[in-house]
Amino acid sequence: TGGRRGEIYRRLRVLRDKYADLIRERYPKIPRRVSGYNLQELLPEHGFDVAKALVGTEGTCVTVLEATLRLVHSPPVRTTVVLGYPDVYAAGDHVSEILEYGPIGLEGMDNVLVENMQIKGQHPQDIKLLPHGQGWLLVEFGGATTEEADEQANRMIAALKKRADAPTITMYDDQEHEKIVWETRKSGLGSTARVPGKPDTWEGWEDSAVPPEKLGQYLRDLRKLFDKYDYGCALYGHFGQGCIHTRIDFDLKTRDGIQKYRSFISDACDLVVGYGGSLSGEHGDGQSRAEFLPKMFGNELVEAFREFKTIWDPDGKMNPHKVVDPYRIDDNLRLGADYNPPQPATHFKYLEDHGSFPKATMRCVGVGECRREHGGTMCPSYRVTREEQHSTRGRARLLWEMLEGDPLKDGWREEAVHDALHLCLACKGCKSDCPVNVDMATYKAEFLSHYYAGRLRPMHAYSMGLIYWWSRLASLMPGVANFFTQTPGLSDVVKTLGGLSVHRQMPPFATRTFTDWFRSRPPKNTQRPTVLLWPDTFNNYFFPETAVSAVEVLEAAGFHVTIPRRSLCCGRPLYDFGMLDLAKHLWREILETLQDDIQAGTPLIGLEPSCVAAFRDELTGLYPNDENAKRLKAQTFTLAEFLESKAAHVTLPTLPRKAIVHGHCHHKAVMGFSAEQKVLKRLGLDFHILDSGCCGMAGSFGFQPGDHYEVSLKVGELVLLPAVRKASKETLVLADGFSCREQILQTTDRHGLHLAQVIHMALRDGPRQGPGVPGWEYPERRYIDSRLFHGAFSKKEMAMLGGAGALLAGGALIWLLNKKKRR
């Protein structure tokens, strides 16, 4: 065809003819080889496939704009067999035999990986499903039916049982157990990085590959090499294809440690080449191994790689110094002998990272689970924008670069970091979903506290961050407050002045707070065990019926319910805006006020999941050495946790209804959701827990204008809101979070219910509450017509209303004049 394309093809043909014999001789014939370039795909016997030759070139030759993929059939039904061996080496010895039975998956792992999982508390139920052993193979068979997949598995099992060295065997052919078992293997990277009590581990020799028939002996020799260098690590990987994954506790901060690392990699390259293997079986050479490619391919083929790259990239601009003319493996280390990051004073103490914020920013190891598009909680902002800067990984990297001062130079005032965190919903999903538990919500709060030090924050930070104080003020005259926030037209002015989206409806204040109701009634069950119910801002000032239901449920269960003697707040909204000094002040008030209850061991029950999460997470993050803080953390429960741990003997009423359940993101991330599932089963509900991630409202996030509002809606539309709209009117919608219920209320025609309300419903109506019978109904919330207020105010409220109206009108006028002046 001539032109540049014709030139490339002509030169590739010349390159192929020049090196064809050497390519056939030196390229290993193994299932997994990623090292070097795929020059063998240019050979005549492989059809001169240029596309396949470019696959895996690591951005050093081309940028792929579009690709056509060849799909492989995926059997609809799977059966998993787990085989236990005395050690991982014996497991490797049996790989070739097992491959004869045609599995579609064959993975392996050693006892060190499982021990790390136990230390980190990961997948405790998964580990129990493994058969006895110190090394395991997970073998998967597929078929059109369960019988077909089981038949293949049973044929292999029958043969293995005849062996004198037969492994222990467990077979699973139900999707639930299969998924659980595979989680043990999938968690490999997360289980080997940041193990408490062990040195940090690093990549560097994480994906070597050998012929599967030589795997067992290679693993033994590899372990000898680790022992020679006094390195520790776990071994796991794609055993059926001879590819081994591991992370090694290299010392990359001292000159001697780096030299030792370099020597080990050189010896490891010699070892794998001696087995006819590849330096890399999956991730590529990059800078970590490209220097040693001559050991595997020889100098002539490395020169062929240079010529191949030059054909595509004559100016050497595409990802230079990686596969061709590479840097040394100890050049440009992320750490290095000169690594000495600043150690800024912080509000949170980061004990899991040895009290170091820089070490916390290094927690991310780049797995990219935060970039998934469905399932779990994280990362809601990335799922909407699909931008790396809005992923947990991208944000963690920017924070690390901020502390390094390269390339980001402005420290805590760095706009690039602020922009990346701008759309973080602080959902805490990464704290549980991320394999290494990156806690971006905490990092965001920390950053904003320094970013805004000595500066004014946006208006919404004051209108929403200080909601506790505004609510206390509004509770004195809820009618006046609701007049301004609910009257059409006037409410838009209030929202605009408060920096809120005019598309959102501000929830009306309750005419009577929960605490007023509680203190007006005589105490009950005074001779029974005492519990402390936490009257959070949202359920106290906006939805007191939730807390009222909780009181009656707890009293029906035989407990004496109390509340704090004075108004308190955990400061949950403050974290989203980095108001940490004020949050710490509130915590000190809580610890002082509740000291007697804390030391008496009185359980504290929270109804708002984000508040409970603050007691279980932020409290000890800010006060890690305060013994009362530790006690309070241990004594704080969700309603479901309390009913399961302290009231398991109580028979709950049944409620034969269907329900869909949305778990608050903080609830799932910090407390877990197992207690809720158990209580729902005790209630007899026919329920389905939505895999809905974050609701999108995320506290005050969804009330903010512009891109916050847009992202909030798009996050909600991923799973939760369509599921709610699809549910029948008779199906209950459970959502404990105030913001979750607000998102549902403001975007659908349904009302969400708190678990306390559902249990109370069962107590009140019992068996009469059958399918098709309306549940606990609440009047639809509408903007309040100002005519409804005629004669509704006292003289004091009327005077306050007039004064507030004058102030509001004056403020609006000043705001409009300033806006006009700026224009």
Side-chain angles (χ1 to χ4, degrees):
T1 60
R4 175 72 173 127
R5 183 177 182 184
E7 175 195 356
I8 290 173
Y9 273 73
R10 285 194 302 274
R11 293 178 65 184
L12 289 176
R13 185 175 61 188
V14 172
L15 175 72
R16 175 201 65 187
D17 294 343
K18 179 179 178 180
Y19 292 102
D21 291 340
L22 198 57
I23 292 170
R24 295 185 181 102
E25 176 187 341
R26 294 302 300 265
Y27 270 65
K29 309 297 189 297
I30 56 177
R32 287 281 190 119
R33 180 206 53 77
V34 181
S35 286
Y37 289 147
N38 295 335
L39 301 186
Q40 83 283 1
E41 299 295 347
L42 300 177
L43 295 174
E45 56 266 36
H46 294 148
F48 194 71
D49 196 321
V50 176
K52 287 184 178 179
L54 284 170
V55 169
T57 49
E58 303 184 52
T60 61
C61 296
V62 299
T63 297
V64 178
L65 302 181
E66 183 177 330
T68 300
L69 305 180
R70 179 178 61 85
L71 301 182
V72 178
H73 173 65
S74 179
V77 178
R78 312 294 177 93
T79 294
T80 297
V81 180
V82 187
L83 307 176
Y85 292 90
D87 51 48
V88 72
Y89 319 112
D93 291 336
H94 285 72
V95 164
S96 292
E97 178 187 3
I98 292 169
L99 286 174
E100 295 175 4
Y101 296 93
I104 60 174
L106 178 50
E107 303 285 301
M109 57 188 183
D110 70 0
N111 60 307
V112 180
L113 176 66
V114 173
E115 290 168 3
N116 288 345
M117 292 173 63
Q118 291 173 322
I119 293 172
K120 298 183 73 171
Q122 291 180 318
H123 308 292
Q125 299 304 317
D126 307 5
I127 295 173
K128 293 179 181 179
L129 296 178
L130 298 176
H132 178 72
Q134 295 295 303
W136 296 269
L137 293 178
L138 280 69
V139 191
E140 186 174 61
F141 294 93
T145 64
T146 301
E147 291 74 20
E148 181 182 344
D150 285 355
E151 190 278 329
Q152 298 175 60
N154 285 322
R155 190 160 57 90
M156 180 196 70
I157 292 171
L160 291 178
K161 285 183 176 180
K162 295 178 181 178
R163 296 180 58 102
D165 58 349
T168 55
I169 302 171
T170 305
M171 187 174 89
Y172 299 101
D173 61 2
D174 62 286
Q175 291 186 359
E176 181 178 353
H177 282 98
E178 288 177 42
K179 180 180 179 181
I180 292 173
V181 167
W182 280 102
E183 283 297 325
T184 59
R185 166 59 190 89
K186 288 171 61 180
S187 66
L189 177 53
S191 300
T192 55
R194 293 297 183 94
V195 180
K198 293 187 177 183
D200 289 345
T201 58
W202 305 95
E203 62 274 19
W205 193 249
E206 78 277 14
D207 63 332
S208 58
V210 297
E213 63 271 16
K214 299 179 180 179
L215 182 59
Q217 193 54 47
Y218 171 67
L219 289 173
R220 292 181 178 91
D221 288 342
L222 185 59
R223 180 59 72 183
K224 290 178 183 177
L225 189 62
F226 290 141
D227 293 341
K228 173 185 173 181
Y229 282 89
D230 194 27
Y231 285 144
C233 65
L235 296 171
Y236 58 99
H238 316 294
F239 280 25
Q241 295 181 310
C243 182
I244 303 302
H245 290 313
T246 186
R247 287 177 63 89
I248 305 168
D249 55 356
F250 299 123
D251 168 14
L252 300 177
K253 295 182 181 179
T254 67
R255 193 170 301 278
D256 289 344
I258 293 169
Q259 180 56 46
K260 179 181 173 182
Y261 152 71
R262 178 178 177 81
S263 178
F264 168 82
I265 296 296
S266 179
D267 286 351
C269 289
D270 291 335
L271 176 63
V272 78
V273 169
Y275 274 92
S278 175
L279 313 188
S280 173
E282 182 171 342
H283 301 154
D285 302 307
Q287 187 177 332
S288 294
R289 280 151 294 201
E291 179 189 352
F292 295 115
L293 285 176
K295 289 176 177 283
M296 178 176 171
F297 292 102
N299 291 326
E300 287 185 86
L301 278 182
V302 170
E303 178 61 30
F305 297 158
R306 181 177 293 106
E307 294 178 24
F308 181 80
K309 174 176 170 60
T310 302
I311 291 171
W312 296 99
D313 178 30
D315 296 328
K317 295 182 178 180
M318 300 290 292
N319 197 15
H321 304 297
K322 295 304 187 294
V323 180
V324 173
D325 298 321
Y327 294 112
R328 286 166 51 102
I329 67 168
D330 49 358
D331 287 341
N332 307 312
L333 290 175
R334 187 178 186 183
L335 302 181
D338 60 346
Y339 178 68
N340 188 28
Q343 298 290 340
T346 57
H347 296 277
F348 291 97
K349 303 310 177 186
Y350 307 102
L351 291 189
E352 294 180 350
D353 294 296
H354 308 295
S356 169
F357 184 66
K359 190 171 179 63
T361 66
M362 288 176 56
R363 181 170 283 273
C364 174
V365 294
V367 178
E369 279 288 309
C370 48
R371 290 174 55 92
R372 63 190 179 198
E373 298 177 6
H374 52 80
T377 304
M378 74 171 184
C379 178
S381 52
Y382 172 78
R383 292 188 191 183
V384 170
T385 69
R386 305 291 175 85
E387 294 287 347
E388 175 74 5
Q389 70 166 335
H390 296 141
S391 69
T392 304
R393 182 175 70 178
R395 290 167 175 143
R397 179 69 189 188
L398 285 170
L399 285 166
W400 186 84
E401 291 178 351
M402 176 195 79
L403 292 174
E404 283 293 288
D406 181 20
L408 306 181
K409 306 295 185 182
D410 294 332
W412 290 118
R413 296 294 174 93
E414 179 57 60
E415 290 299 329
V417 177
H418 182 269
D419 290 346
L421 292 172
H422 174 64
L423 291 181
C424 172
L425 284 79
C427 69
K428 288 184 175 288
C430 48
K431 186 176 178 70
S432 59
D433 288 7
C434 171
V436 289
N437 311 115
V438 171
D439 186 2
M440 193 52 60
T442 296
Y443 307 164
K444 176 184 178 180
E446 187 74 62
F447 173 82
L448 291 179
S449 71
H450 299 279
Y451 178 84
Y452 282 113
R455 297 201 227 182
L456 286 175
R457 290 173 165 82
M459 273 306 301
H460 60 256
Y462 301 106
S463 60
M464 299 300 287
L466 306 180
I467 189 68
Y468 166 59
W469 289 274
W470 296 126
S471 299
R472 291 180 67 184
L473 181 62
S475 69
L476 300 176
M477 290 166 292
V480 173
N482 288 334
F483 176 80
F484 285 106
T485 63
Q486 305 300 310
T487 302
L490 185 57
S491 65
D492 287 347
V493 176
V494 174
K495 285 181 277 191
T496 301
L497 291 174
L500 307 180
S501 171
V502 295
H503 302 294
R504 286 295 188 186
Q505 183 179 343
M506 297 175 68
F509 292 95
T511 56
R512 189 184 191 190
T513 66
F514 161 71
T515 53
D516 285 344
W517 171 86
F518 185 85
R519 292 190 175 108
S520 69
R521 64 197 294 269
K524 296 183 179 181
N525 297 343
T526 55
Q527 303 303 312
R528 307 298 292 274
T530 299
V531 298
L532 189 64
L533 185 65
W534 182 254
D536 62 88
T537 298
F538 312 111
N539 288 311
N540 185 34
Y541 297 105
F542 295 97
F543 281 113
E545 57 267 30
T546 304
V548 169
S549 294
V551 169
E552 297 186 358
V553 166
L554 290 168
E555 289 178 344
F559 293 93
H560 171 54
V561 181
T562 63
I563 62 174
R565 66 176 184 271
R566 54 170 293 193
S567 180
L568 297 170
C569 179
C570 69
R572 173 69 261 172
L574 298 173
Y575 300 101
D576 295 340
F577 304 106
M579 298 178 174
L580 298 184
D581 286 325
L582 190 52
K584 290 163 76 172
H585 170 73
L586 292 177
W587 279 123
R588 184 48 57 195
E589 285 187 340
I590 291 172
L591 293 173
E592 291 174 357
T593 303
L594 301 184
Q595 178 173 315
D596 291 343
D597 288 297
I598 293 171
Q599 295 178 357
T602 304
L604 184 146
I605 301 170
L607 301 176
E608 172 57 37
S610 61
C611 294
V612 178
F615 279 89
R616 300 269 279 270
D617 188 13
E618 278 86 358
L619 171 57
T620 50
L622 293 168
Y623 294 102
N625 299 315
D626 188 298
E627 294 301 323
N628 277 345
K630 295 176 185 177
R631 294 184 184 106
L632 184 55
K633 173 181 179 177
Q635 293 166 210
T636 301
F637 304 87
T638 66
L639 178 61
E641 285 177 329
F642 179 81
L643 292 175
E644 274 301 298
S645 61
K646 304 295 184 181
H649 60 284
V650 175
T651 301
L652 296 181
T654 58
L655 188 64
R657 296 283 299 272
K658 288 187 176 182
I660 57 173
V661 184
H662 167 75
H664 189 286
C665 46
H666 290 182
H667 196 154
K668 293 177 287 189
V670 177
M671 291 84 76
F673 214 63
S674 61
E676 278 63 28
Q677 295 183 57
K678 293 175 182 176
V679 168
L680 293 173
K681 289 179 180 178
R682 287 169 63 184
L683 286 171
L685 280 171
D686 178 10
F687 65 94
H688 170 62
I689 297 177
L690 300 173
D691 189 6
S692 46
C694 181
C695 71
M697 187 67 86
S700 63
F701 182 93
F703 282 96
Q704 297 171 38
D707 50 2
H708 279 71
Y709 172 72
E710 298 296 333
V711 168
S712 170
L713 291 183
K714 290 177 181 178
V715 170
E717 294 294 347
L718 291 174
V719 176
L720 173 61
L721 301 180
V724 170
R725 296 188 191 107
K726 184 179 178 181
S728 67
K729 298 299 182 183
E730 292 76 24
T731 299
L732 301 177
V733 179
L734 271 70
D736 280 2
F738 171 79
S739 59
C740 307
R741 297 198 299 274
E742 277 299 303
Q743 180 79 303
I744 293 169
L745 180 66
Q746 297 195 22
T747 55
T748 74
D749 61 351
R750 302 298 301 277
H751 294 74
L753 297 174
H754 192 284
L755 177 64
Q757 295 170 298
V758 173
I759 300 175
H760 189 260
M761 183 190 302
L763 282 171
R764 186 192 66 186
D765 296 316
R768 291 182 294 132
Q769 202 64 28
V773 178
W776 194 347
E777 300 294 344
Y778 294 99
E780 181 180 358
R781 183 186 302 166
R782 294 186 176 90
Y783 285 109
I784 300 176
D785 191 320
S786 59
R787 290 173 298 177
L788 297 177
F789 290 102
H790 180 69
F793 300 117
S794 65
K795 290 182 179 180
K796 178 181 178 182
E797 285 184 319
M798 287 296 292
M800 291 295 297
L801 184 60
L807 288 173
L808 184 62
L813 180 61
I814 293 171
W815 178 77
L816 288 171
L817 289 174
N818 285 337
K819 185 175 182 182
K820 184 176 181 181
K821 184 177 180 181
R822 287 196 301 272
R823 286 178 176 174

